[in-house]
Amino acid sequence: SGDAGVTFQLSPQSFLFVKYSRGYKSGGFNLPGNGQPYLPEFVNAFEVGLKNLLSQDRVRLNATVFRYDYEDMQVFQISNFQTVIENAAQATVTGAEVELHARLAQGSLIDVSVAYLDATYDEFVSLDPLNPFAGFQDLSGNTLNRAPELTFRVAIQHAFDLGDSGYLTPRAEYNWRDDVFFRQFNLAQETQESFSRSDLRLMWESSTGAYRGSVWLKNLEDDDVIGNMLINSLNLLAMYYAPQTW
């Protein structure tokens, strides 16, 4: 394993970077379990990014594109109530991220991030322990577990100056995430569809900064959203994100 990179200073407020790294995860045996060995995992990672400070350093704009090429990617699944690791011969993850942090006016902040992900198994043959009669299945082209194609986040806040009474800052945050699969077989019943989540917060700070407090409302939509799913031949265990709290 190791990495190498180079940075190009385009201007005093902007630079471009190019980076390559190679990662490694050791192999082993499925113990307890079926005792079968699994191979070490290797990944070649390529990244190109641009970082900028604009408008007298009031705006920070970053963008990155990346590609991860996996060899013998280690994939987890539940078989006979045991966690089993197997290898996907090849997998590729490509994507892009854009992040914006801006001070729009005195006391006003906005954060925006957008990410795109194309994460697929290129070569992968596996046996579904929940449907062994289907035999070994070719999963090439399936989406990796818990890899949403699109994600989006925006947060905005403004600090109101109350003079000797301190500062009052309302903040709102909105998140949206695309569909995800929880197993490599990409079955409809093992999916969390796209969802949004909104959080609200009201913060107060004394003029001296010695005292502060806040009230909040998290998960305004109060939807049931699955964060992870564990499945065996008898049970489906869904773990949900926290409900609406305040």
Side-chain angles (χ1 to χ4, degrees), residues 24-84:
Y24 167 83
K25 187 186 294 184
S26 63
F29 294 86
N30 285 295
L31 297 173
N34 57 19
Q36 293 296 315
Y38 54 91
L39 300 173
E41 172 187 290
F42 295 92
V43 59
N44 293 304
F46 306 87
E47 293 184 50
V48 179
L50 184 64
K51 295 182 179 291
N52 304 277
L53 285 175
L54 309 171
S55 300
Q56 299 178 333
D57 295 348
R58 291 187 296 109
V59 177
R60 184 173 68 244
L61 178 63
N62 300 330
T64 306
V65 294
F66 54 88
R67 178 184 175 96
Y68 303 149
D69 291 321
Y70 288 89
E71 306 166 22
D72 296 317
M73 177 185 235
Q74 294 175 5
V75 183
F76 295 79
Q77 69 169 316
I78 303 296
S79 178
N80 296 324
F81 302 97
Q82 300 285 347
T83 299
V84 174

Side-chain angles (χ1 to χ4, degrees), residues 2-242:
D3 61 76
V6 60
T7 299
F8 303 93
Q9 193 76 42
L10 304 179
S11 74
Q13 287 78 36
S14 179
F15 70 88
L16 175 75
F17 69 89
V18 180
K19 182 180 179 181
Y20 163 78
S21 59
R22 182 169 174 83
Y24 167 83
K25 187 186 294 184
S26 63
F29 294 86
N30 285 295
L31 297 173
N34 57 19
Q36 293 296 315
Y38 54 91
L39 300 173
E41 172 187 290
F42 295 92
V43 59
N44 293 304
F46 306 87
E47 293 184 50
V48 179
L50 184 64
K51 295 182 179 291
N52 304 277
L53 285 175
L54 309 171
S55 300
Q56 299 178 333
D57 295 348
R58 291 187 296 109
V59 177
R60 184 173 68 244
L61 178 63
N62 300 330
T64 306
V65 294
F66 54 88
R67 178 184 175 96
Y68 303 149
D69 291 321
Y70 288 89
E71 306 166 22
D72 296 317
M73 177 185 235
Q74 294 175 5
V75 183
F76 295 79
Q77 69 169 316
I78 303 296
S79 178
N80 296 324
F81 302 97
Q82 300 285 347
T83 299
V84 174
I85 301 174
E86 57 184 347
N87 294 101
Q90 301 286 339
T92 303
V93 177
T94 57
E97 297 178 350
V98 178
E99 297 177 331
L100 171 70
H101 176 82
R103 288 179 285 141
L104 302 179
Q106 184 68 33
S108 294
L109 296 175
I110 185 170
D111 286 297
V112 180
S113 62
V114 182
Y116 166 78
L117 200 62
D118 180 9
T120 58
Y121 298 107
D122 299 322
E123 297 179 33
F124 190 16
V125 175
S126 182
L127 180 69
D128 185 355
L130 304 184
N131 186 21
F133 300 105
F136 283 93
Q137 302 179 45
D138 185 359
L139 306 181
S140 303
N142 280 13
T143 301
L144 268 62
N145 304 353
R146 302 181 68 183
E149 183 177 30
L150 292 173
T151 56
F152 172 76
R153 172 183 173 272
V154 59
I156 188 168
Q157 68 180 56
H158 179 78
F160 293 93
D161 189 346
L162 305 180
D164 292 340
S165 298
Y167 301 89
L168 191 65
T169 305
R171 176 183 174 86
E173 182 172 331
Y174 174 81
N175 293 269
W176 184 88
R177 193 189 75 181
D178 218 336
D179 303 351
V180 295
F181 295 102
F182 294 108
R183 291 206 310 150
Q184 55 269 39
F185 301 95
N186 286 188
L187 301 178
Q189 63 268 30
E190 300 164 2
T191 305
Q192 171 58 57
E193 296 181 348
S194 62
F195 72 94
S196 61
R197 171 173 169 154
S198 306
D199 298 333
L200 303 174
R201 181 179 291 267
L202 184 63
M203 299 167 283
W204 172 82
E205 183 177 358
S206 66
S207 57
T208 62
Y211 304 97
R212 57 178 57 91
S214 64
V215 293
W216 66 88
L217 174 64
K218 295 183 178 180
N219 191 6
L220 178 64
E221 295 82 355
D222 200 20
D223 293 329
D224 293 329
V225 177
I226 299 173
N228 200 2
M229 187 180 290
L230 298 177
I231 304 170
N232 58 46
S233 57
L234 296 179
N235 300 292
L236 185 154
L237 176 62
M239 289 161 280
Y240 289 84
Y241 289 122

